[in-house]
Amino acid sequence: MPVVASAQVQATGDYLSRMDGDGDGRIALPEYQDWMSYAFTRMDADGDGVLVPAELPGGRGKPVSLAEHRQTLAITFGRQDRNRDGYLDARELASPPQ
């Protein structure tokens, strides 16, 4: 493996270990959704589970619910899960979605 690719996988492995809530060395969909929802949670100033335009970057856009956000993440997860085992490993996490 070229040095650049090796460094990328190691860095992604570090990222994976932070996302891996149960420590099993792989990322399940709920772990992915929880980790990737941190920005949503921080932007949801009133904590109602919906980002309204005033809470969105630039102060405009259509409202987005946490459920919609998690569904979008599930689609992205599915596209990254290249071997279709229901988990992401470091290589799949580092790869762009299909």
Side-chain angles (χ1 to χ4, degrees):
M1 173 182 321
V3 174
V4 173
S6 176
Q8 181 183 20
V9 170
Q10 288 174 352
T12 304
D14 293 340
Y15 188 57
L16 182 141
S17 68
R18 288 181 286 204
M19 291 176 74
D20 185 11
D22 62 9
D24 67 355
R26 57 193 186 166
I27 305 302
L29 176 59
E31 291 170 321
Y32 182 82
Q33 290 170 313
D34 291 347
W35 180 266
M36 299 300 284
S37 294
Y38 76 92
F40 185 103
T41 303
R42 293 184 74 168
M43 291 188 312
D44 187 12
D46 61 6
D48 68 352
V50 177
L51 296 181
V52 295
E55 295 169 320
L56 293 169
R60 57 186 152 164
K62 66 178 188 135
V64 178
S65 72
L66 181 57
E68 291 168 325
H69 177 68
R70 290 178 72 88
Q71 180 58 36
T72 299
L73 292 172
I75 292 166
T76 301
F77 180 94
R79 291 175 55 210
Q80 283 185 264
D81 183 14
R82 295 184 189 245
N83 65 1
R84 306 290 180 236
D85 68 351
Y87 298 92
L88 299 181
D89 60 25
R91 289 185 191 276
E92 289 170 323
L93 193 59
S95 299
Q98 297 178 353

